[in-house]
Amino acid sequence: MKLITFAFTGLLVSGLLTGFTKEETKVEQYKTEDTEVEQVKAEAEVNDPKTWKDVSTPEGFNSNGIEPTLEAWIAYHAEDIAKTTDVKEYYPRANRLRSEMKYFRIQGEDLQKDFENLEVLQTLMGNLVYSISVAEEQGIETSGTYDELKKSFRYFTELVHDIDIVINRDGKGETFGFTHQLDGKKVKEMETFIYID
């Protein structure tokens, strides 16, 4: 009788232990599945080329009374750059914006491409201004180079405007179509000009 009681007690205890172990495993499985779902969502947000965030470090930025925020900085330049019609002001204004970029940074694949295009346009304008000055010293015709400079500045101005729409108006408003961020229809046209032509 003792042997039967002992065996029955052993089976009962092992059954209870097995039940607790299976229950623990189920809880762990549910936790793992929830965690995986959250990780997938987080990765989707990180991998979305349209998702961007401001990672600016404007400490030390003090320029013409512009508030040291990404929003105020890009809004100021969108307005300021569009004001000039003087070809001699094109490069200095573009250069100023580019030199201030070190204070204002974003993370986000498409918007970063737009800022890179601004930098390339500014560099192109610098090269064109240099070419014009050398050609004029040598008495060489520069009207074609001036046309390229004007076109570069137009792209630059319109791209800054479109970036301002992205940053300050959440992408809502009239654009020229030059940003990757807003799937602009003229991005290819501009990039063909600055990278291929």
Side-chain angles (χ1 to χ4, degrees):
M1 182 77 174
K2 285 185 184 180
L3 186 57
I4 293 175
T5 305
F6 182 72
F8 181 72
T9 305
L11 285 172
L12 183 62
V13 168
S14 87
L16 288 173
L17 289 175
T18 304
F20 288 134
T21 305
K22 286 183 179 176
E23 192 63 34
E24 257 181 48
T25 305
K26 287 180 184 176
V27 170
E28 287 177 19
Q29 277 182 331
Y30 292 128
K31 287 181 182 175
T32 302
E33 288 173 7
D34 289 343
T35 305
E36 287 175 8
V37 169
E38 289 173 14
Q39 286 176 342
V40 168
K41 286 180 183 176
E43 286 177 19
E45 287 177 9
V46 169
N47 293 331
D48 180 7
K50 301 295 180 204
T51 301
W52 67 275
K53 69 178 183 176
D54 181 0
V55 292
S56 300
T57 52
E59 293 83 25
F61 176 75
N62 187 8
S63 185
N64 291 339
I66 304 169
E67 183 182 338
T69 64
L70 175 68
E71 293 83 2
W73 173 72
I74 201 69
Y76 171 84
H77 283 291
E79 185 179 320
D80 181 62
I81 288 172
K83 288 179 183 176
T84 190
T85 56
D86 183 359
V87 174
K88 292 181 178 164
E89 283 295 309
Y90 290 176
Y91 177 71
R93 288 183 189 228
N95 189 49
R96 178 171 166 222
L97 182 141
R98 184 174 181 200
S99 68
E100 293 172 359
M101 276 187 188
K102 66 183 176 189
Y103 297 105
F104 302 100
R105 293 280 178 208
I106 53 92
Q107 284 180 344
E109 186 179 331
D110 281 358
L111 195 53
Q112 282 178 311
K113 288 178 187 176
D114 297 329
F115 274 97
E116 287 168 11
N117 283 342
L118 277 179
E119 291 187 67
V120 172
L121 281 164
Q122 183 272 343
T123 301
L124 176 60
M125 283 188 273
N127 291 337
L128 292 169
V129 166
Y130 177 76
S131 296
I132 289 168
S133 68
V134 169
E136 286 177 346
E137 284 177 11
Q138 298 174 358
I140 300 172
E141 172 61 35
T142 58
S143 63
T145 312
Y146 268 111
D147 290 342
E148 279 188 71
L149 178 61
K150 290 174 185 175
K151 191 171 186 177
S152 300
F153 189 72
R154 181 180 60 83
Y155 282 138
F156 188 88
T157 303
E158 293 174 358
L159 180 55
V160 171
H161 171 271
D162 288 2
I163 291 173
D164 179 44
I165 295 291
V166 169
I167 292 172
N168 286 309
R169 299 183 194 148
D170 199 27
K172 294 171 179 66
E174 291 288 323
T175 66
F176 292 100
F178 290 113
T179 62
H180 286 275
Q181 184 67 27
L182 298 176
D183 297 320
K185 293 179 180 174
K186 296 183 180 179
V187 171
K188 187 173 182 178
E189 169 194 320
M190 177 186 63
E191 289 184 344
T192 299
F193 173 74
I194 61 180
Y195 293 109
I196 298 171
D197 289 348

